[in-house]
Amino acid sequence: MTTPTHTTTDLADPTAPSTRALRVLALCGFLLLAGCLVLTAVFGLVDAVEGDGVGGGFLVAGFWALALGAVAGAAALAVPRSALVAAQYALAFAGPVLAALD
C-alpha cells in the first residue's frame, strides 16, 4: 500500500487571495453595483426624455446584468471564489454599457 507524498495543504495556491479579502471585494462590489444602477437609470431617463420614450432591449438587458451581478455578489459572500467576484464586477460594468447602447 502506498501513501500519498503530499497533503491537501500542499496543493493550496500560496498566491491566492484569502477568503476575507474576497468577501471585502464582494462587499465593495455592491457599492459599485449601486453606482452603476444609478448610472443605468440616468441613461434610461435620458433616453426616455430625448429619445422615443420607449426603453429598448439593451436597457432591459442592462438592468438584468445588474440584477445578476447582485446575485453573483451574494454568492461570492457565501462561497468566496475569485470567479464570482470577477463576474460581479464584470456584470456591474456591463449594466451601464448596455444601457448606453440603447
Side-chain angles (χ1 to χ4, degrees):
M1 182 168 157
T2 61
T3 59
T5 59
H6 60 283
T7 62
T8 57
T9 57
D10 294 338
L11 299 175
D13 186 13
T15 61
S18 67
T19 58
R20 175 175 276 168
L22 287 173
R23 285 189 171 126
V24 168
L25 282 174
L27 284 174
C28 292
F30 281 113
L31 294 174
L32 176 68
L33 279 167
C36 288
L37 176 66
V38 170
L39 189 59
T40 303
V42 166
F43 284 148
L45 290 174
V46 167
D47 185 45
V49 171
E50 293 178 358
D52 57 357
V54 177
F58 283 117
L59 181 64
V60 173
F63 282 117
W64 271 105
L66 293 174
L68 291 175
V71 169
L77 285 175
V79 182
R81 299 280 185 257
S82 58
L84 288 172
V85 175
Q88 178 188 17
Y89 278 77
L91 288 166
F93 286 122
V97 170
L98 288 169
L101 291 175
D102 189 26

